[in-house]
Amino acid sequence: CGYQFGVEGPGPTIGGTAQPAAQVKPGEHVPRLSIVNLRNGSFEPNLEIKYSNYLRQEFATSSGAQVVGGTETADYVLKGTILSILIPTLSFTQSTTLESRVEALVMVQAEDVRSHKVVWVQTAKGMSEFFVTGDLQFNRVLQNRAVEQAGRMVAADLSARFQLFIDDVREGRIKPTEAPPEFVPMLPGAR
Amino acid sequence: QEQRATPDEKTTITAKKMTVRNQENKAIFEGAVVLTRGPLVVHSDTMVMLYQGKADSAASPGGQTASCGSGEGASRGKPAAGRDQKPNAGQAMPTVSDRKVCLIEASGNVTIEKDEGRAICRKAVFYQEEEKIVLTGDPVVWQRGTRVTGQKITMFLAEDRSVVEGGSHVTIVPEGERRSP
Amino acid sequence: QPIAASSVATSGSANSRVEVTGDRIEYLQEVDTYQADGSVVILYGDQRLTADHVTIHALTGHVIATGNVHLVGPVSEVWGEQLRLDINTEGGLVANGQVHFKQTNTFATGRLLQRYSESHYRIKEGSFTNCDAKDGEVPAWRFTFQDLDLDTSDSLAMKGAWFCVLDHKLLPLPTLTYPVSYRKTGFLIPSPTFDNRFGLGMQVPFFWAINPSQDLLITPNYYSNLGYGSDFGYRYILNRQSRGQWLASVFQQEQLPKVSGVQEAGADVRRIRGLLSGNHVQQFDQDLRMIAQVFFVSDPDYLQQLSNSGVARALPSGESNLLTTQRWGTGNLYLLGQYLQPLQSGGSDTFQRLPELGYSMANTATPLTGPLQFNMDTGMTYFYRDEGFHVGRATIMPGLTTDTLNLGHVVGLTPQAKFLESYYSRGAVEDVSVQRQTFWAALEAKSRLTKRYGTGDGTSMLHTIEPQVIYEYVPASDQSQIAQIDQLDDLPKKNLVTYAVRSRLLENKRSGSAFNWLDLMIAQSYHVGAVQTRARDFTPGAPPTLGTITQPLFPATTTVDGRKFSDLWIRAMIGNNTPEFIPGLTPNTIDIWSRHYSLNQYLTVDAFVDPYKGTLSQFNTDFRVQNNNAWYIEVGQRYAREGNLVRRGDIWNPISFNEVYAPTSEIQFVTAMAAVRLSQGWTVGARGYYDLKNGRSPEYDVVGMYQNPCKCWSLGMWYLQFPDRVQYNVVLSLTGIGWTENFGTAVLKTILSPIMIGERGLPWAAVGGPYGRMQPAGQSGASAIK
């Protein structure tokens, strides 16, 4: 039916073929990707580590690339910034908020390690709703879960789009030339 | 410092062929004609020089200036006293050298060079009386950063004044950008 | 005789070539002067001068042009009867002339125009407008004056001026100095406000550009039926490491606000009320960063009674954070202070995280852990509160995981485990320290099927199917002594399998961007072990088991008939909801990104289906569609069934449904926002929130805006309707001069700007500046900054 199993993973392959699943031409290897911890440009505390972990987990299994630790052996380095966490109110009465939503906006860019050129830029928005109660600390708990769920959505979206990019580069549909300058914004503080 | 051609400066003209028509008070130079007069050098294919007629000059009533040649060039300057009049019989033939030039007409690949100035055109006429040069036939003049073009360029030498007419165009190039024309 | 010789040092772009053409040109060598006559055209640098007669003094570079004089440059265009110009300095005089500045469409006329440069003129007895008036049209508005000093990169000063509308003198202005360029100190246009409860309002903003990196906007305001006060908006970007903005609002209340919920008796009428909000970001070095975000009001009812936003009036709390983060190794060391100011909920006994010191470490492979990866979340928190006991808590939560162990690239296994050790300085009841240990163990299995479809026209489609299942186990642990403050204190037993399937259909366009045809996720949890029997109860006013309503220590719970299968979560998205950017307006600083507008079209559905009843327990949808800058519509619908509702995720796994909480009252709510551009320069829009269940709307806003054909002025109108009060107003904008600004402008901007991006003459601070499109730095007009 033309569907391919495509679970990649830097870890040991237990049984099955040693050949990576992705349709890789002889002599070619699955692109290796190193993911740097995201920078946090929002005012939501302590997001970088969680969101970076979500990115690594999603990209490891469903981006068509192999996630490696350091940049030494990597073909691409993924950097990014959590641009904003907005929390609009969804439903409310005159004096009570019933439901809110977390909207997480993340921008990432992939740099070619050899040429140091930015070859892929993508923004993604994850959304998750949460109810609001009378207990302020519990509202913060529900908001944290919604922030984490939005982070998982962002990671899954970015990894699927990265696979699209990797496939197109592999099949020569596009060349990993530099992303158009207007789409390469200055990520403040990015190393 | 510019050098001006003083009136008594010697003018020499060289050409492959020279034809003198005394009756018409005209001398025609043809073939690689070069006129030199002090710092002024004029190149052209042909050059026609018209002189003032000697008899005419004595007999002209009312002090009217003598007519200039009688040939085609004369019509350019003052109208000749009478086109069909024949010189008086028995009159001594005026020699070229001791006559006064009233008009020089250079035509065909005319190039005029003088100090830092240079001009090219298809026809240039020099009027001694009015001390002016009229360049026609796509004239172009360069002079220290200025380039002048037009249908007709008239230079009044005595007044240090020149007039460009007909689609005239002057390009003033700043010193930094000047290259020899 | 020498042929004419001359040379001219020419214009500001010194030493640029000068081309003179005309019917007749006379050159006077003695005085080095050219006289050109008849259709004279002079080109020098980027300027083009045409006239009937022109005299050029080559030595001095002075040009005198008479008759149909027309001087065209990149910045401005001048007409006049006579022009005296110095090619080298660009300065000069124009008699009975007109000047038009292209970028701003500014048109000035005068008996005498003194030109200092292409952008700076001094004009006598003339007029000035930013409206179309070049071809003798009567402009919508103009200033007539005796004396005008106009520098388009700096300011405009007039003497003996009149403000005219359609050439009718309306307002005498003996003297007026006005900043034309961006960020100049000065008064902004005062603006009235009408509120059926607060009475007639007036505010007179003054903008102080302290220096290029700091400015202060002071806005004194007054309401006839309420009182008076002032807002102070301070912004700064001190350097690449340090930036921030603050708003302080101080209000002397003279009369009680006549809004619902305000009892006449007992309330102290005359008092000072206020609000402080803002943020500061300090990047000490590459790895050490501090952010401060503050939201603080003088009294809990401040927003409910005085705010002009329905959403703000209903906020349960205001949050302030002070966070310092040091990147250390593969993790972050952080110090956090968090204060949740009780507004419509909570009280003085609400716990506050003052402070929390912690370290969180990403998955890291270490030599010690071999193929395993180690992560860590540890923290020490001091829960302070004004009333009631305080609690100190220390937690350490190391975790282990591995890279994906793929079985022949068909299935990827990821074992994970976390161990939690918590120590509390006291219990919920007794002042005795309490400890708790627990762990979380999980095994996740994922598979992934992908297929690429070529669509023939150079684009391609990627379809993925990703089934995944995770088994999680958390043993029951005794938390009966622990005050339930946040997620680390409430760790119920978990013996849960969560399975999900995700399917994506992505089309890769030739431009390189990808369109999301479908992003579908279906997930459900199954309780392997015992089911839940008691659930947290949100019924407003339900007394907690221990603690108070404002701060439960053990929340109110109620019996629920636990079930093996959780509700089925369905989440679908069609279209891209990520922001799209118009080339040339792509912002590259974080501030602008976070205030962007989505211009694209998408449908999102987020629903829970009760598998036992086959009915929806929650159903949220959002639909947005836009037709360029003609119209757009956004509709959101919220439904939550009465009774048990699934709790989305927990500290271990944000996508798992181990618990329900019960019972909330039913929610049926609709939000809508739309705007459409009509003919004759009108654009109208509206935003509404409607509570279908209670048949009431907590707020709806209607806005409209008229722009004249050349967009040199615009009139914005807004109408805010709350259940207990109404506020309406108009805002006027004179393009390039400024606009009146008040609260309603933010509503106008939110509703209309998605179809007015990059447009000229908007009555709000737009990314493209008052003249539209991205202006070179420092050239967009003066503006009140919000």
Side-chain angles (χ1 to χ4, degrees), chain B residues 67-95:
Chain B
S67 67
C68 184
S70 63
E72 184 208 353
S75 65
R76 181 86 47 255
K78 291 273 176 310
R83 183 174 290 287
D84 304 331
Q85 195 178 3
K86 287 189 176 54
N88 301 341
Q91 222 173 358
M93 283 299 294
T95 60

Side-chain angles (χ1 to χ4, degrees), chain A residues 40 94 97 101 163 168 189, chain C residues 260 286 289 314 448 508 622:
Chain A
N40 186 358
Q94 190 178 328
T97 300
R101 162 188 284 160
Q163 174 175 356
D168 283 345
Chain C
S260 61
Q286 191 62 41
R289 181 173 190 256
R448 193 160 189 275
N508 202 16
D622 284 277

Side-chain angles (χ1 to χ4, degrees), chain A residues 1-21 36-46 48-49 53-54 56-58 60-64 81-84 86 89-99 101 105 107 122-125 127-129 131-145 148-149 152-153 156-157 160-161 163-164 167-168 171 173-174 182-183 185-186 188-191, chain C residues 240 260 279 281 283 286-287 289 291 293 304 310-311 314-317 319 323 327 330-332 334 336 338 340 342 344-346 351 353 360-363 403-410 412 446-453 460 462-463 466 485-487 502 504 506 508 514 516 536 538 552 569 571 576-579 583 586 588 590 593-594 596 598 604 606 618 620 622 638 640 645 647-651 653-654 661 667 669 671 689 691 698 723-724:
Chain A
C1 63
Y3 279 85
Q4 293 278 332
F5 275 106
V7 177
E8 294 302 333
T13 299
I14 306 167
T17 62
Q19 178 64 25
V36 175
N37 279 351
L38 294 173
R39 305 195 68 80
N40 186 358
S42 76
F43 289 103
E44 185 69 22
N46 288 336
E48 310 92 309
I49 302 300
N53 277 342
Y54 295 151
R56 290 190 185 100
Q57 284 156 11
E58 283 293 336
T61 54
S62 52
S63 69
T81 297
I82 302 164
L83 293 177
S84 63
L86 302 181
T89 297
L90 290 189
S91 51
F92 60 100
T93 64
Q94 190 178 328
S95 58
T96 311
T97 300
L98 306 172
E99 201 178 4
R101 162 188 284 160
L105 183 64
M107 153 164 276
Q122 185 64 48
T123 55
K125 182 197 258 189
M127 299 195 291
S128 178
E129 290 78 13
F131 288 102
V132 177
T133 73
D135 179 344
L136 300 189
Q137 284 293 343
F138 189 67
N139 291 344
R140 210 43 177 90
V141 168
L142 298 177
Q143 181 177 316
N144 291 343
R145 294 294 79 69
E148 288 162 7
Q149 203 173 76
R152 291 280 296 265
M153 302 287 163
D157 189 28
R161 291 172 188 269
Q163 174 175 356
L164 213 53
D167 288 354
D168 283 345
E171 282 142 25
R173 250 192 294 275
I174 56 173
E182 70 192 66
F183 281 98
M186 170 194 71
R191 212 191 295 254
Chain C
R240 279 179 66 93
S260 61
N279 58 69
V281 179
Q283 188 89 34
Q286 191 62 41
D287 296 324
R289 181 173 190 256
I291 52 170
Q293 182 194 26
Q304 168 60 212
V311 167
L315 282 178
S317 61
E319 181 173 309
L323 172 70
R327 295 205 312 180
T330 59
N332 277 351
Y334 66 90
L336 168 68
Q338 185 175 77
L340 304 177
Q344 298 308 304
S345 301
F351 281 108
R353 206 177 289 263
S360 58
M361 182 171 151
N363 294 339
D403 285 325
T404 305
L405 316 172
N406 64 72
L407 304 179
H409 299 289
V410 171
K446 260 188 165 181
S447 184
R448 193 160 189 275
L449 283 155
T450 63
K451 181 171 183 180
R452 285 302 285 263
Y453 298 86
S460 66
L462 169 69
H463 181 224
E466 298 171 61
I485 300 174
D486 70 9
Q487 66 260 4
R502 182 178 193 141
R504 298 286 313 253
L506 271 173
N508 202 16
N516 168 53
R536 185 184 275 257
F538 286 135
W569 182 40
R571 187 179 182 84
N576 284 348
N577 70 343
T578 50
T586 307
N588 61 7
I590 281 191
W593 282 79
S594 54
H596 63 268
S598 283
T604 65
D606 179 291
Q618 288 179 55
N620 292 328
D622 284 277
R638 322 282 157 233
L645 291 175
R647 181 172 170 180
R648 295 172 185 245
D650 54 27
I651 187 171
N653 178 4
Y661 32 68
I667 296 176
F669 203 88
T671 55
Y689 305 90
D691 184 344
D724 56 353

Side-chain angles (χ1 to χ4, degrees), chain C residues 121-135:
Chain C
Y121 282 81
R122 180 78 179 266
I123 303 175
K124 299 286 185 192
E125 296 159 28
S127 70
F128 158 87
T129 181
N130 282 339
C131 304
D132 285 350
K134 272 195 294 185
D135 312 323

Side-chain angles (χ1 to χ4, degrees), chain C residues 476-523:
Chain C
S477 56
D478 176 16
Q479 54 189 36
S480 60
Q481 303 303 315
I482 298 174
Q484 306 287 300
I485 300 174
D486 70 9
Q487 66 260 4
L488 280 171
D489 311 321
D490 176 18
L491 300 171
K493 175 178 171 53
K494 190 170 190 181
N495 188 359
L496 194 73
V497 171
T498 303
Y499 38 86
V501 63
R502 182 178 193 141
S503 181
R504 298 286 313 253
L505 197 57
L506 271 173
E507 178 188 5
N508 202 16
K509 298 199 175 293
R510 223 172 288 113
S511 65
S513 66
F515 182 76
N516 168 53
W517 283 101
L518 175 65
D519 179 355
L520 174 66
M521 178 156 195
I522 300 174

